[in-house]
Amino acid sequence: MKLIEQYEKEGNIIEVDSLLTTNDAVIDIKQIFILGNIVYVNYDKEHDRVLITETADVFIQKNKEFLKTLTKKTFSKINSCKCDSCQ
């Protein structure tokens, strides 16, 4: 297994520590890795903190229309959120 920070396919880019806003959830991308010759994505959702793993190509296909909403998470000791879902 090899960890990577970013994966791109057909102009769609996903990155570790990014947030993707879809119709029904905010997806937090935790990890991208290569196993064999296949790239996988681990992520969880804002209100459902269960780690989900699927191939990067399937993830991109399912979320293609929302990928433009990807934003990179930033952390600050001064302004860090203390809510349960962020901890």
Side-chain angles (χ1 to χ4, degrees), residues 4-68:
I4 58 175
E5 293 293 315
Q6 178 178 303
Y7 177 72
E8 179 179 355
K9 182 173 183 182
E10 300 172 358
N12 295 297
I13 300 172
I14 51 177
E15 292 183 271
V16 173
D17 290 331
S18 293
L19 299 172
L20 173 65
T21 305
T22 67
N23 278 338
D24 60 344
V26 174
I27 296 172
D28 186 359
I29 300 172
K30 300 292 189 180
Q31 190 176 59
I32 304 171
F33 62 94
I34 301 170
L35 188 57
N37 291 329
I38 302 172
V39 179
Y40 293 89
V41 177
N42 283 334
Y43 64 92
D44 64 14
K45 296 181 180 180
E46 179 182 32
H47 296 292
D48 186 17
R49 292 293 183 178
V50 176
L51 194 62
I52 301 165
T53 302
E54 64 187 9
T55 67
D57 293 345
V58 168
F59 179 84
I60 288 172
Q61 190 61 37
K62 284 178 20 182
N63 296 294
K64 190 175 280 192
E65 69 180 282
F66 302 106
L67 286 174
K68 62 184 172 288

